Amino acid sequence: MGYESFSMETASNDVIDHPHYRVTLEQGARLVPGNIGNAVSLQGGGEYVDLGEHMDKCMANLDVCGQGITMAMLLKPESLKTNQYFISSPTYSLYMQNGQLKADFFSSGKHWNVTSREFLLNDWNNVVLSWNKDSGLEMYLDDKLVDRNTKPEEMVQGDARAAGSVYIGKSSDTVDADTAEMMADEVQYWYADLSKLKARGLFKGRS
């Protein structure tokens, strides 16, 4: 089962140390003390992190996630303004909209979305998203299920893109929305939905 981890611990010349990928701090993004070791700090002034283009991998392209996907991250928002993107790829995004944390997932012509108003300002939130094309999309905050969507809508043309990078702090769209004002830490991907991970004892949560 595939697994990817981005811990944001150390960097040199704006390149975060990672064993497999080139991960870059862009436009003044920096590492600071975080919830676990260091974290990335974004001030909402154009800063973001580029995890690279990985359309052949589940972490970027939901169409190749045969067993689904689970993504987990620690986020500390310093603003809840609309249209700031916390993480995005050409096939999914997590962002603020009208005071709600919202996730959009796109795959095989379908669109799932989940929302929550329980996202805490100026505090660390443990955000987990679990998706499978058959069982749908779930959002957890601090190990609590806050929303589930099992009935996707038909995808509108232009919703998802064929290529692009995975970003922390900005939209993957070519038309940039506002960059996020936040800290982010311990971004992880498992290439299976949460129920499969728990059945195999591979996901314990953080509490």
Side-chain angles (χ1 to χ4, degrees):
M1 181 185 299
Y3 173 74
E4 314 283 0
S5 178
F6 300 88
S7 295
M8 316 297 173
E9 291 304 318
T10 57
S12 178
N13 297 320
D14 291 331
V15 178
I16 294 175
D17 295 326
H18 194 278
H20 305 298
Y21 306 124
R22 180 177 173 83
V23 180
T24 56
L25 296 163
E26 302 287 349
Q27 304 297 319
R30 59 195 179 95
L31 298 183
V32 299
N35 184 265
I36 300 173
N38 285 334
V40 65
S41 174
L42 309 175
Q43 300 298 310
E47 307 92 341
Y48 64 96
V49 179
D50 188 344
L51 302 185
E53 187 170 330
H54 305 290
M55 291 303 287
D56 59 330
K57 296 182 173 62
C58 180
M59 65 176 279
N61 184 0
L62 298 179
D63 287 343
V64 301
C65 298
Q67 298 187 69
I69 189 171
T70 300
M71 57 183 77
M73 64 209 77
L74 294 170
L75 300 177
K76 184 180 181 181
E78 295 166 1
S79 165
L80 297 179
K81 65 182 180 180
T82 287
N83 283 342
Q84 55 177 334
Y85 281 70
F86 300 109
I87 193 163
S88 69
S89 87
T91 62
Y92 63 80
S93 56
L94 179 69
Y95 60 102
M96 291 301 302
Q97 184 178 76
N98 300 324
Q100 296 188 105
L101 181 66
K102 183 175 182 179
D104 287 318
F105 278 48
F106 303 98
S107 179
S108 302
K110 302 293 184 181
H111 169 209
W112 296 257
N113 68 74
V114 288
T115 62
S116 176
R117 292 189 180 274
E118 298 181 36
F119 194 48
L120 300 178
L121 180 67
N122 294 320
D123 201 356
W124 285 102
N125 298 262
N126 176 22
V127 182
V128 174
L129 298 168
S130 172
W131 173 85
N132 182 292
K133 66 179 181 180
D134 297 319
S135 57
L137 177 61
E138 297 175 335
M139 177 188 286
Y140 296 80
L141 291 178
D142 298 320
D143 297 321
K144 174 188 174 184
L145 177 65
V146 293
D147 199 12
R148 174 188 286 130
N149 184 329
T150 60
K151 296 180 180 179
E153 300 174 352
E154 293 297 319
M155 195 166 75
V156 177
Q157 185 176 7
D159 273 342
R161 289 160 292 284
S165 288
V166 180
Y167 295 121
I168 296 172
K170 72 181 283 288
S171 170
S172 66
D173 202 336
T174 52
V175 179
D176 292 345
D178 294 336
T179 52
E181 187 176 353
M182 67 159 181
M183 294 171 65
D185 201 0
E186 302 298 323
V187 177
Q188 300 175 85
Y189 296 90
W190 292 263
Y191 292 175
D193 64 71
L194 189 58
S195 65
K196 293 185 180 70
L197 297 181
K198 288 183 174 180
R200 301 181 194 183
L202 298 176
F203 190 93
K204 305 294 186 183
R206 298 187 198 269
S207 61

